[in-house]
Amino acid sequence: MSINVYLKKRGEISIFLVGILLLFTLYACSEDSPSSEEEQPTLSIPSDQLSWDLGYEAQSVEVVFSCNAEWSVSVDDASSSWLGVTPSKGNAGEYTLSISVSENTDKDSRTGTVTVSSRELSKEISFTQSGFETTLSIPSDQLSWNLGYEAQSVEVNLSCNAEWSVSVDDASSAWLSVTPAEGDAGQHTLSVSVAENTSGESRTGTVTVSAGEESKEISLTQSGFDTTLDIPSSQLSWNLGYETQSVEVNLSCNAEWSVSVDAASSSWLSVSPSKGGAGQHTLSISVSENTGEESRTGIVTVSSGEVSKKISLTQSGRIFQPEIGGPEDMPVEEWK
């Protein structure tokens, strides 16, 4: 009887010990094994943010992602000079990456990769940036100019995204000049100076604006010199008495001019000044007394280049009258 009780108690003790050992084993396993979430890490980035096609300009893009563990970001070595990311690491949660992209100053496109990693998971974000494309713009209505012969200047608006320079064709450099002659990217206004065309022939010059492989030509055609000589029509013809006198004639001319008097009238007509330059002038024409009974006509000619104006002056003859106080009924006899 006592032996049975002993064996029974010993069996219970063994079961108890086995139970304790099992509890310790389960506890140890629970310490060493990850949770169910850690066994299944997650890393999510929207599919439409995994690939980017960008222009050459400097810019930044945002990528939203979520992760349930620590994470970090890396950029492939070949792209680290033009791609940057912030933040570069973090803990579980939702984040927005700001990815900065430098300007591509090369004409060839380039591709880079940003990798987001969390434990054994990773996502690649690819970036393709187009090569630099020079843009040079001048309004179409400022690419061609038709100008008068006068000295003048015109303004041309220029927009460019790179350094630019201006040149004038050799044949026109004597009468065309441009400021500024060069500049950086941005909005600019060119001032094109045009010298007076003293020739009777028209002329054409070309101003070329260049930036990289792009260029724009500005054509300027200037008419030949056109002499203008103006005298009021009311001052082109004069009817004068026989007395000594002078008359004034207003003259407007855009070139040098001179005055001449026809030879038959030079003894009783004179003009001052006899020549002058471009501008407004007043001629003073002196007329001597006509001591003869017959009227007389003289011509003053104002000339400038191939243009001329004639001023006609007709002076009446002297009239002889009987002395005042003579007999009113004095007979007039025929001269014999």
Side-chain angles (χ1 to χ4, degrees), residues 37-66:
E37 289 184 357
E38 290 176 330
E39 290 174 354
Q40 298 178 359
T42 60
L43 175 60
S44 176
I45 299 176
S47 59
D48 61 349
Q49 296 182 20
L50 292 175
S51 180
W52 298 83
D53 290 314
L54 306 173
Y56 71 88
E57 304 90 353
Q59 57 201 287
S60 65
V61 300
E62 292 186 343
V63 174
V64 177
F65 79 98
S66 62

Side-chain angles (χ1 to χ4, degrees), residues 66 121 126 131 136 159 161 184 202 224 257 274 290 294 332:
S66 62
L121 296 181
S126 68
L136 174 61
S159 175
N161 66 348
D184 297 321
S202 64
W257 53 270
S274 60
N290 186 359
E294 300 295 328
V332 177

Side-chain angles (χ1 to χ4, degrees), residues 106-140:
D106 192 86
K107 65 179 181 179
D108 294 324
S109 63
R110 58 189 179 184
T111 299
T113 302
V114 172
T115 303
V116 183
S117 302
S118 178
R119 296 198 177 183
E120 67 268 24
L121 296 181
S122 65
K123 294 278 187 179
E124 288 188 347
I125 308 168
S126 68
F127 294 85
T128 299
Q129 187 180 29
S130 63
F132 184 84
E133 181 180 357
T134 303
T135 60
L136 174 61
S137 175
I138 295 175
S140 58

Side-chain angles (χ1 to χ4, degrees), residues 6-324:
Y6 173 77
L7 292 173
K8 183 178 180 180
K9 287 183 177 180
R10 187 173 180 180
E12 290 176 353
I13 291 171
S14 298
I15 293 171
F16 176 74
L17 292 175
V18 170
I20 291 174
L21 181 60
L22 180 61
L23 287 174
F24 273 108
T25 302
L26 291 174
Y27 178 76
C29 289
S30 66
E31 286 291 318
D32 295 337
S33 300
S35 65
S36 61
E37 289 184 357
E38 290 176 330
E39 290 174 354
Q40 298 178 359
T42 60
L43 175 60
S44 176
I45 299 176
S47 59
D48 61 349
Q49 296 182 20
L50 292 175
S51 180
W52 298 83
D53 290 314
L54 306 173
Y56 71 88
E57 304 90 353
Q59 57 201 287
S60 65
V61 300
E62 292 186 343
V63 174
V64 177
F65 79 98
S66 62
C67 184
N68 66 348
E70 291 183 347
W71 58 269
S72 63
V73 178
S74 63
V75 179
D76 67 291
D77 293 340
S79 310
S80 58
S81 62
W82 60 276
L83 283 176
V85 187
T86 56
S88 61
K89 60 183 179 179
N91 297 316
E94 292 187 354
Y95 293 88
T96 298
L97 298 178
S98 178
I99 303 174
S100 60
V101 184
S102 300
E103 181 183 18
N104 186 1
T105 57
D106 192 86
K107 65 179 181 179
D108 294 324
S109 63
R110 58 189 179 184
T111 299
T113 302
V114 172
T115 303
V116 183
S117 302
S118 178
R119 296 198 177 183
E120 67 268 24
L121 296 181
S122 65
K123 294 278 187 179
E124 288 188 347
I125 308 168
S126 68
F127 294 85
T128 299
Q129 187 180 29
S130 63
F132 184 84
E133 181 180 357
T134 303
T135 60
L136 174 61
S137 175
I138 295 175
S140 58
D141 60 349
Q142 296 179 15
L143 292 175
S144 181
W145 298 82
N146 291 310
L147 308 171
Y149 71 88
E150 304 90 352
Q152 58 201 286
S153 64
V154 298
E155 291 188 343
V156 175
N157 297 316
L158 160 69
S159 175
C160 189
N161 66 348
E163 293 182 347
W164 53 270
S165 61
V166 179
S167 62
V168 178
D169 66 292
D170 293 340
S172 309
S173 59
W175 59 277
L176 280 179
S177 62
V178 186
T179 55
E182 59 185 8
D184 297 321
Q187 305 284 335
H188 301 271
T189 298
L190 302 179
S191 178
V192 184
S193 297
V194 185
E196 180 183 17
N197 187 0
T198 57
S199 166
E201 301 295 327
S202 64
R203 58 189 181 184
T204 298
T206 302
V207 172
T208 303
V209 184
S210 303
E213 297 179 355
E214 294 293 312
S215 65
K216 295 284 185 179
E217 290 188 347
I218 306 166
S219 174
L220 300 101
T221 298
Q222 186 181 31
S223 63
F225 185 83
D226 184 15
T227 304
T228 59
L229 174 61
D230 183 53
I231 296 174
S233 58
S234 61
Q235 297 178 15
L236 292 175
S237 181
W238 299 84
N239 291 307
L240 308 172
Y242 70 90
E243 304 90 352
T244 298
Q245 58 199 289
S246 66
V247 297
E248 291 187 343
V249 173
N250 297 317
L251 161 68
S252 175
C253 189
N254 66 348
E256 293 183 348
W257 53 270
S258 61
V259 179
S260 63
V261 178
D262 65 295
S265 309
S266 59
S267 61
W268 59 277
L269 282 179
S270 62
V271 185
S272 178
S274 60
K275 60 183 180 180
Q280 304 285 334
H281 302 271
T282 298
L283 301 179
S284 178
I285 304 176
S286 297
V287 184
S288 299
E289 180 183 11
N290 186 359
T291 58
E293 296 183 8
E294 300 295 328
S295 64
R296 58 188 180 184
T297 298
I299 302 295
V300 172
T301 302
V302 183
S303 302
S304 179
E306 297 179 357
V307 180
S308 64
K309 295 282 185 177
K310 293 184 180 296
I311 306 168
S312 173
L313 299 101
T314 298
Q315 186 181 31
S316 63
R318 184 179 179 87
I319 300 175
F320 294 94
Q321 297 180 348
E323 296 182 3
I324 298 175

